[in-house]
Amino acid sequence: MTTDLQGLVLKGVTKVYRQELGHGSYGSIYAVKYCGTICAAKEIILVEGLGEVEIQQTVESFIMECYQCSTLRHPNVIQFLGIYYPSATAGSVQERMRLPVMVMEMMADSLTSLVDKHEKIPLHMKYSIVHDVSLGLCYLHNHDPPIVHRDLSPSNILLTAHHVAKISDIGLAKVLMADYRMIMADTTEIVDLKSPESLGDDPIYGPPTDVFSFGGILLYTFNQLWPRPIRQVHFDPILKKKVTLSEVERRQQHLDKMIEDGEMLISLVEECLDDDPAVRPPIVAVCEKIEVSKDAVYMKESIQDTITLHQQSKQMRSEIGRLKSENYHLRLSSTRSVPLLNGVTELSEETLGDTDTSKLRIEAPPLIPALITGRYYIKWTQLADLPAPMYRAFATVQNKKVYIAGGTSPVDYAMHRVFVYDINTDRWDQLPPSGYHHGIPHIIGCKLALIGGCLSTAMQRTNKVSTFDETNQTWTSYYPDLLSARSTPGVVTHLENVIVAGGRAGDDTAVAQDDIEVFNWIENSHWRKVSINLPVPMWSFTPIIADDYLVIVGYSAGSAMKRYTGSYKIPVTNITNEPQKNSSKSNKKKTKWTTITSAPHWSTALVSNSFPLMAVGGQNYNGTPTSDIKMYDECDKSWRTMASLSSARTDVAVAAVSDNAIIAIGGFTKAGSVANALSSSLTTVELGQVQLLH
């Protein structure tokens, strides 16, 4: 027996003399040191007076566990390191049998202990733990040959210091036969977590047995209460007789409590606890459902954290403004001097005389003096060309990938495609056709969406919000449709809200819209119209969020193709927090928009996440394309040239790919007719990085 384990024997293992860590399926667990690392050791405890047959069976089962664990390698299954032979008292059973001790990685806690110690475990941690356990079970059930744990309970789900969950105590796990079924003697599994088929006189064990136990663990983890079922036989006062309850009915009170934290998993728990093992889902399907719910919870918590930080940032800015004001008044009262715009650099109490101080304007420093004074410049680097020339397109960025769509191109297929650029590999690819063109690419809840557009075979506008499924490489309807069909609207996201404004309406017309729709993607409800309309009808423009304002710089495209050069802003909360109102009142709401100043150019592109505002390219008012990159100076209320594109162009797509870099894609170089735009449209793609002048 000893020679069978020689390949697993560890040298230099010493016992750490401290209290016992716990008990496993065979005996006590204590700490040992191996190669300078503290590990957990599990030994066999044999009671004096046992018969040789019982001892032999126990030791053989223990050795089988050692062999079985030595083949398992998964981050969510406890790691077996080997065995060692401790010294034993002379004449004892341990010495006579020379019993091995199993050495495993040391864990910090168990799920049972975690629940006992914490009144309220964070929701994301609960999802992480049950997802880890489901991954571990997936590995065991899909092992070659498959392994059924049979003793899954909160006490043998162990946790690392960073709360990574691992399945332990494989002592009762059994390898399945070829028919994926096994009939064995009863185990020590906790009765409350046992499946119906494992409670009979001839218990049957298989993967559904573990799935049933896992359903109980889901209840325990999310409710932080032991999922003890009520009695199986229940007296029905209506029927006035005893009835047999299903396993789900026996735990209904625990399922009802899951609404507090695990509402998305209630139906999954019900499936896991089904009386019929054939109906229970395989652990792979269970794992997938948990992962989807976990991602949704993580995203919701992330957005909530963002909202909290956003609110804290606003409070901090307000406090900084207050302190600056107090500091200014303190300095003014002590020095009696103030810088002025009329050339006077100092004004003392003696020189004030009869001057009306209410007309004196304090000069504020530029918002970004380094950029406006020209100490920075943008260095342009040529990237891989766009697969087809395109202008008046829109770009969005996620995970070092730039998606572009919605533009016009002399190459017909380019209008119906979404192109994706990988920043790491400097390579362009094409996504499968969505069936629409002139839709706006946008990231909604980590998913790429195409908002609005036209049918590829006609100019009929659509209200579809198509979402790209990376796994199946298809476009699906994950999010609800817009209320109104439109193409090339303005789209922007603020926290959990997506705002869609304006766009072209009608069939084969250039009629522009001025209405606004809002969608809360976390609640995944429906789009709603707000009573506030755009200042003028607009299409093909880029709204952005800057300092809690929704800002638009664009042009109108009504039947006369008029262009407007106005720039406008409105508190974004006026849009996102406004309840739905009667559309007849919408005209009264236009006054809430504030005119900033004239736009620097026609057909210019705003850089998202840029504050102060940064506009790239466009046409001068005489129709000539420009290479100017202009920054809005909040102090002077004017646009200042801060840098240039590598060449003059208009209707260029831009996106911020980092804090100090933008990407410029396509555009066209000849103003005037549509023919000029098509013939001079570009495939040029450049990366602009802001650099310091030395």
Side-chain angles (χ1 to χ4, degrees), residues 448-577:
L448 172 65
L450 205 59
I451 300 176
C454 305
L455 293 175
S456 296
T457 56
M459 290 302 292
Q460 181 182 354
R461 267 69 184 184
T462 180
N463 64 339
K464 293 293 182 185
V465 178
S466 301
T467 308
F468 187 65
D469 184 342
E470 288 194 13
T471 303
N472 300 316
Q473 292 290 295
T474 57
W475 293 91
T476 62
S477 297
Y478 184 86
Y479 293 113
D481 296 339
L482 294 166
L483 298 176
S484 303
R486 64 188 77 205
S487 64
T488 58
V491 181
V492 67
T493 293
H494 177 64
L495 301 177
E496 73 274 29
N497 294 295
V498 183
I499 303 170
V500 172
R504 281 176 165 177
D507 299 342
D508 197 20
T509 66
V511 176
Q513 297 175 248
D514 65 354
D515 63 322
I516 301 175
E517 296 184 28
V518 176
F519 169 62
N520 186 311
W521 65 265
I522 288 183
E523 296 178 356
N524 201 20
S525 53
H526 295 282
W527 293 88
R528 63 176 178 85
K529 282 194 187 245
V530 296
S531 63
I532 301 173
N533 286 9
L534 292 170
V536 294
M538 289 188 182
W539 61 275
S540 195
F541 65 102
T542 307
I544 67 169
I545 305 296
D547 198 29
D548 294 330
Y549 279 89
L550 172 63
V551 180
I552 56 174
V553 179
Y555 62 89
S556 164
S559 57
M561 296 295 287
K562 291 183 179 180
R563 291 177 175 178
Y564 291 92
T565 60
S567 301
Y568 311 92
K569 70 177 183 178
I570 189 172
V572 68
T573 53
N574 286 21
I575 303 292
T576 58
N577 295 345

Side-chain angles (χ1 to χ4, degrees), residues 249-547:
E249 290 171 330
R250 295 180 67 198
R251 296 165 177 81
Q252 191 60 54
Q253 73 274 26
H254 299 289
L255 286 164
D256 293 340
K257 186 172 176 57
M258 274 194 76
I259 294 176
E260 298 177 13
D261 270 0
E263 185 176 6
M264 289 185 289
L265 297 180
I266 291 178
S267 61
L268 177 62
V269 176
E270 291 175 342
E271 294 174 13
C272 293
L273 296 176
D274 197 282
D275 290 29
D276 187 354
V279 176
R280 294 173 208 150
I283 193 62
V284 173
V286 173
C287 185
E288 289 175 352
K289 290 183 180 180
I290 290 176
E291 184 173 13
V292 171
S293 300
K294 183 185 92 168
D295 290 345
V297 168
Y298 277 29
M299 184 57 64
K300 186 173 182 178
E301 288 193 344
S302 175
I303 290 296
Q304 189 57 52
D305 289 343
T306 302
I307 294 172
T308 301
L309 289 173
H310 182 73
Q311 293 171 342
Q312 291 175 347
S313 175
K314 286 178 63 177
Q315 293 174 355
M316 188 176 296
R317 288 199 302 270
S318 176
E319 181 66 13
I320 290 173
R322 185 187 66 79
L323 291 174
K324 284 183 176 179
S325 176
E326 289 182 358
N327 182 54
Y328 165 72
H329 286 296
L330 182 63
R331 287 187 291 108
L332 184 62
S333 62
S334 61
T335 63
R336 296 293 183 180
S337 64
V338 58
L340 302 175
L341 283 182
N342 57 5
V344 180
T345 57
E346 185 173 329
L347 196 60
S348 63
E349 185 175 12
E350 290 75 20
T351 58
L352 273 174
D354 297 328
T355 303
D356 185 358
T357 56
S358 65
K359 295 181 179 179
L360 298 179
R361 185 161 65 93
I362 301 172
E363 183 180 24
L367 197 57
I368 47 165
L371 288 175
I372 293 177
T373 56
R375 294 205 299 269
Y376 288 84
Y377 75 104
I378 293 184
K379 177 183 178 182
W380 292 98
T381 303
Q382 185 79 32
L383 304 178
D385 283 347
L386 190 65
M390 187 174 290
Y391 69 94
R392 203 171 288 157
F394 294 87
T396 187
V397 181
Q398 184 185 41
N399 297 333
K400 296 296 182 180
K401 289 185 178 180
V402 181
Y403 301 90
I404 182 169
T408 302
S409 174
V411 182
D412 183 63
Y413 79 88
M415 297 172 63
H416 315 314
R417 295 275 184 171
V418 176
F419 298 109
V420 54
Y421 174 76
D422 191 318
I423 296 173
N424 294 324
T425 62
D426 189 26
R427 174 183 170 181
W428 283 93
D429 286 307
Q430 300 178 31
L431 299 186
S434 66
Y436 305 98
H437 63 272
H438 292 315
I440 302 300
H442 198 71
I443 303 299
I444 305 178
C446 294
K447 297 179 183 294
L448 172 65
L450 205 59
I451 300 176
C454 305
L455 293 175
S456 296
T457 56
M459 290 302 292
Q460 181 182 354
R461 267 69 184 184
T462 180
N463 64 339
K464 293 293 182 185
V465 178
S466 301
T467 308
F468 187 65
D469 184 342
E470 288 194 13
T471 303
N472 300 316
Q473 292 290 295
T474 57
W475 293 91
T476 62
S477 297
Y478 184 86
Y479 293 113
D481 296 339
L482 294 166
L483 298 176
S484 303
R486 64 188 77 205
S487 64
T488 58
V491 181
V492 67
T493 293
H494 177 64
L495 301 177
E496 73 274 29
N497 294 295
V498 183
I499 303 170
V500 172
R504 281 176 165 177
D507 299 342
D508 197 20
T509 66
V511 176
Q513 297 175 248
D514 65 354
D515 63 322
I516 301 175
E517 296 184 28
V518 176
F519 169 62
N520 186 311
W521 65 265
I522 288 183
E523 296 178 356
N524 201 20
S525 53
H526 295 282
W527 293 88
R528 63 176 178 85
K529 282 194 187 245
V530 296
S531 63
I532 301 173
N533 286 9
L534 292 170
V536 294
M538 289 188 182
W539 61 275
S540 195
F541 65 102
T542 307
I544 67 169
I545 305 296
D547 198 29

Side-chain angles (χ1 to χ4, degrees), residues 44 157 167 176 180 189 231 235 241 447 546 567 589 654:
I44 303 176
I157 294 173
I167 299 173
L176 291 179
Y180 280 54
E189 188 179 19
R231 296 178 62 181
F235 181 79
K241 65 177 183 179
K447 297 179 183 294
S567 301
K589 299 295 181 180
V654 295

